[in-house]
Amino acid sequence: MKTSLTSIAVALCAAAALARAPNYDEAKVAPYSLEDPLAFADGRRLKDASEWPARRKEILGIFAREMYGQPPPAPEKVVAELREEGSTLAGLAIRRQYRMWFRADKSGPFVDWLLVLPNRIAGTFPETNDVRVACENREKAPVVLMLNFRGNHAVLDDVEVPLTEGGWFRDDGSGGRGQKESDRGALRRSQSRSTVPAEYIVSRGYALLTACYAQVSPDVEVKKGDPEELAYTHVFELWPRRDESRTDNTTALGAWAWALSRGLDLVERIPEADAAKSVVTGCSRLGKAALLAAARDERFAVCVPNQTGGGGVPLAKRDFGENVSTEMAMFPHWYCRAYAKYIDNEQAMKFDQHLLVAAIAPRALLVEGFNNGWFDAKGEWLSCRAASPVWEFLGKEGLPKGEFPDNYDSSCIGAHLGYVRRGGQHGISGYDWRWMLDFADRVFAR
Ligand code: GCU
């Protein structure tokens, strides 16, 4: 049975009884004004590029207080243990599996990372499945970093990847919950609406590092349980107890973004990986996490948030599709309590998502949108357009000029900032991967 996304959105809203119904009528979008990314909150305009770090810090402070909560503290120590290594993808790649802890004594929560490294010698692929030979000869590869929804075993069709451990696992829509043998390689199946095409990624010369987001912070929706009870477990156990008198406690989105930075810590230790050439990506809520991670952590060279939805790239003050009311009603653990004051009151916001987008400048950002009302593709493009002056101010090319591009029209993908959208189903598709790696290739070739 085919279900349209609009009907999913309607069902979600019905479940969240208190949510304001989304607006899907352009004519009903009320006028709104956006803050100037190049002026401090007190109205003073930035004199020159030397003032950008201070403005960026101010922007990140606003998002920490008002929306995503305070960033989690740095880990006591990152301990990454290589647990398994072998040849995979019929010799095209090397598979490595690490378990990561955040305390020196390896107590407490852990996250399992799967690394897929291109198995190549000077641009060609060796005629051997022997990991040692391949490892000794490898060039440094740029790395794509992402969290996945369904476990590392869903990324590769490889019996050496164990079912991802952990308590809560996402319902796959078939009524099942938890890690299942039948999910092995699910993200590589041609009928899957989301794909992580490991073969394609390594053939393009990129390594892939991924972990399952449920191991970081479990993510139940309001209609299925108490999200807050589950979310603030796992890596939250590392941090001081939540202070319920505060309105800016760390959120699940903040935890996922933090985990992406820990993935980059690991990349920095992998001799065959080039940590200066990292691409952070993710789809939907995990696209929001990728965006937040890159905004907060300047080590990410390229960010490609995919189909982020409300609370990600699209403008909030433009009332179209998902709104603060639906976001808070369905996913209260993604945002901090302070954000609730903008329910039905977005115009009171002294910030909007274009500022988070701008916090990535002058690094490279390609926003991959989704032409669906709930996800407000136009609001994504407008957000990029409003952030673009920051790239120009910092001496880079901004968003290519022109009207809101059509689906699949890549003319709005610039050298450092780009926007592209597509139709079809919600998920990260082959198109998205191609746009992403073409963009990253151009960035890294400079
Ligand atoms: C819902 C939610 C979006 C989110 C998406 C997802 O549609 O409203 O904000 O991006 O789920 O993560 O799948």
Side-chain angles (χ1 to χ4, degrees), residues 12 149 170 221 283-286 288 307-310 322 327 330-331 334-335 374-375 426:
L12 286 171
F149 283 108
R170 191 172 158 89
E221 292 172 19
C283 178
S284 223
R285 64 201 72 185
L286 298 180
K288 299 189 228 291
Q307 306 195 346
T308 60
E322 208 169 349
E327 287 159 20
M330 295 190 306
F331 310 104
W334 293 359
Y335 309 101
W374 179 250
F375 288 78
H426 179 41

Side-chain angles (χ1 to χ4, degrees), residues 415-426:
H416 300 98
L417 176 61
Y419 177 76
V420 64
R421 66 176 164 132
R422 65 171 181 83
Q425 301 212 65
H426 179 41

